[in-house]
Structures are given as structure tokens and as C-alpha cells.
Amino acid sequence: MTTKERPILFSGPMVKAILEGRKTQTRRVMNNRHFNVFWVDETAKGVAPYWRYEDSHGSGPFKPEDYQLYGFPRCPYGQAGDRLWVRETWAPHPTVRKAERDSKIFYRADCRPRTSDESHCDWRPSIHMPRWASRITLEIVSVRVERLQGISEDDAKAEGVLSLPDATLKPVDGSARLQFAALWDSINAGRGFGWNVNPWVWVIEFKAAQP
């Protein structure tokens, strides 16, 4: 089976957590479109990930919670063995007019003291990072689907929330789950997928990829 690579975005604090080995999981909202996968007969269980629906409310508008989970649809981030290359906020060396391969790259997540060069960096959004500028490649260990609030204390720690919050978050006391909930809401509540909504999420476990 051919290993596939896909990009994935992480914020500065999460990049730092990955580099420090504190983050080995990420949760991403499972949008309705992720449920709209081909139907697979039960006899195909051993062939590919599958998703079967049981509609308890008859016909009508699609709602993920109306269906019983039997397996997995195809995850848009890949499957075990695939790789993810991390996109993060970055900038080419300020003396470089056009970022090219082999250019010196600054990474905003490093949070090191600014030099006279770095203070003039033209920071670029993570979504605009090209593959060659990425410094982190991850290998997917496992993928599963669960409700957001199903996260355990250990899994919340694996999300890299300890040592948070950073300057963008309000202080949070208590468990790693509470810290994760606050972090999640800071990113997703405005999109309608807050902690209290308890959406279905992809749970992607990963490790640093070997060269």
C-alpha cells in the first residue's frame, strides 16, 4: 500500500507541544460531508473502513446523531501509516525577496528572542506554507471517531494542553480535560462546534515520522 502525505495545520503552541513530544493526538471536527461516503456491505468489513447508517427517525434532513456508528468512514486526514506534514506560521529570511527551496526559514512557534533580522520578518499564514518549508512530518498511528466530550484525561494530556494556556487563552484551573475544552472553544466555538455542542470528531494519533 502506498503511503500518502497530506498537509495539516497547527497553531504555534501546538507546534511547540509536538516538538517537545507532549502532543501525540489531534481532534478535528467531523463535518457532515465526512459522513457522505459510499455504502459498504457488511461482507466488506475486512476490505476497507466502512460506515453504516441506521435511521431511527425515518426520512428527513440528515443528522449524524440519528445514525448508529458501526465502523469508520474514510478519514480525510488519512489512515494508519500515512503521513502528515505540518503547516505553521512561517517567514523566509527578511533579506530574501522570494521564498524558495533552501531559503532560511523562521518559524513563529519557536518563540526565541527576536534578532534584528527576525524583527522584520514578514510572517505568513500557515495555510500558505509550501511542503518544502515544513520542518515536521508525522506518521499516523491510528484513527478513530468519537464524541468530543468522550475525551479522557490521558487523551487530553496527549493533546498537549499541559503548560497551556498561552497568552491567547484565559487561565484555566483543573484537569487536562478542562484545559482542552477551553482550548477547543477558543478555536471552534465561533464556528458552531463548541465543547457544549459535543460534535463527532476525528481522533488522530501520531508520532514523529522516521526520515
Side-chain angles (χ1 to χ4, degrees):
M1 183 179 296
T2 303
T3 299
K4 296 182 179 179
E5 281 195 350
R6 297 173 177 85
I8 188 169
L9 275 64
F10 282 106
S11 66
M14 294 297 97
V15 168
K16 186 174 181 180
I18 290 172
L19 292 173
E20 294 175 355
R22 295 185 288 107
K23 184 173 179 64
T24 57
Q25 290 184 13
T26 187
R27 281 161 173 74
R28 305 293 166 121
V29 173
M30 189 177 189
N31 295 320
N32 280 4
R33 62 186 176 81
H34 296 158
F35 287 83
N36 297 330
V37 296
F38 58 87
W39 287 59
V40 180
D41 187 80
E42 286 187 277
T43 57
K45 286 182 180 180
V47 178
Y50 69 100
W51 185 263
R52 194 177 74 176
Y53 306 114
E54 285 192 356
D55 190 345
S56 59
H57 300 285
S59 60
F62 172 77
K63 295 181 180 179
E65 58 267 26
D66 290 341
Y67 300 92
Q68 182 175 348
L69 184 66
Y70 279 84
F72 299 100
R74 292 186 181 278
C75 176
Y77 299 97
Q79 58 187 339
D82 287 346
R83 294 188 170 195
L84 300 168
W85 57 274
V86 174
R87 279 177 159 164
E88 57 181 299
T89 303
W90 66 293
H93 193 282
T95 61
V96 177
R97 292 185 177 180
K98 182 178 180 181
E100 298 177 340
R101 292 178 185 273
D102 300 325
S103 298
K104 184 175 182 180
I105 303 297
F106 292 133
Y107 300 97
R108 192 70 183 86
D110 287 347
C111 298
R112 56 193 174 192
R114 289 174 177 268
T115 65
S116 57
D117 284 340
E118 287 180 291
S119 64
H120 296 91
C121 280
D122 178 19
W123 295 112
R124 303 185 180 187
S126 54
I127 190 65
H128 294 152
M129 172 176 273
R131 175 66 180 96
W132 59 263
S134 176
R135 58 174 170 170
I136 304 173
T137 304
L138 307 170
E139 180 181 336
I140 297 177
V141 175
S142 66
V143 177
R144 68 179 186 272
V145 173
E146 67 183 22
R147 288 286 193 180
L148 177 64
Q149 293 180 17
I151 188 172
S152 67
E153 182 72 4
D154 285 343
D155 281 349
K157 293 176 182 178
E159 281 275 358
V161 296
L162 298 185
S163 298
L164 290 175
D166 63 9
T168 65
L169 297 176
K170 295 180 180 179
V172 177
D173 296 325
S175 70
R177 286 184 82 251
L178 290 177
Q179 293 186 52
F180 174 76
L183 175 64
W184 178 271
D185 277 348
S186 73
I187 300 170
N188 297 289
R191 302 168 51 221
F193 297 107
W195 174 263
N196 291 335
V197 176
N198 196 23
W200 286 102
V201 293
W202 297 106
V203 182
I204 304 163
E205 184 179 4
F206 54 81
K207 63 182 181 180
Q210 298 298 319

